[in-house]
């Protein structure tokens, strides 16, 4: 295993806890597919909303492209960076299964 996503569902919420892909796999569409499948599983489990946090120098742009919205920021170290809290409403069209190519 070289990367992946872990999360949990509780009380109608899907929490993305950890999501990592090595640099050589980023930009290939694999991250988008993994996230879409996780969102679909969460919706199947009855979740209506997803939440996560990332850091300003990590991936807020990636999540924004996938339909996530910024809730707010909390400053952290190193100075000038923040934890970015994000959310996404899950719908029936979220997370269509992806067929291997």
């Amino acid at each position: 295993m070289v990367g992946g996503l872990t999360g949990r569902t509780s009380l109608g919420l899907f929490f993305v806890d950890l999501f990592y892909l090595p640099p050589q796999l980023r930009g290939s569409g694999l991250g988008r597919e993994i996230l879409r499948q996780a969102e679909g599983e969460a919706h199947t489990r009855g979740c209506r909303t997803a939440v996560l946090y990332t850091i300003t120098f990590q991936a807020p742009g990636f999540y924004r492209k996938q339909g996530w919205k910024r809730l707010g920021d909390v400053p952290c170290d190193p100075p000038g960076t923040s934890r970015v809290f994000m959310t996404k409403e899950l719908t029936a069209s979220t997370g269509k299964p992806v067929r291997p190519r």
Side-chain angles (χ1 to χ4, degrees):
M1 183 181 316
V2 295
L5 183 149
T6 62
R8 56 197 156 87
T9 59
S10 177
L11 303 172
L13 295 174
F14 167 45
F15 297 89
V16 175
D17 293 324
L18 179 65
F19 188 13
Y20 175 78
L21 284 179
Q24 65 269 22
L25 294 176
R26 296 175 193 168
S28 68
L30 181 60
R32 181 181 63 244
E33 292 180 15
I34 291 170
L35 185 60
R36 185 171 54 223
Q37 288 185 18
E39 291 168 357
E41 175 62 24
H43 185 266
T44 298
R45 293 181 183 197
C47 295
R48 295 179 308 277
T49 306
V51 294
L52 62 78
Y53 75 81
T54 185
I55 300 176
T56 50
F57 59 79
Q58 288 180 327
F62 166 77
Y63 292 110
R64 198 170 24 260
K65 289 178 187 174
Q66 311 315 312
W68 290 71
K69 296 191 182 341
R70 192 179 208 126
L71 281 176
D73 297 26
V74 177
C76 64
D77 286 331
T81 62
S82 296
R83 289 188 188 260
V84 180
F85 290 83
M86 303 184 84
T87 186
K88 182 176 182 179
E89 296 303 311
L90 302 177
T91 65
S93 64
T94 302
K96 294 181 200 170
V98 177
R99 290 191 168 86
R101 295 179 189 172

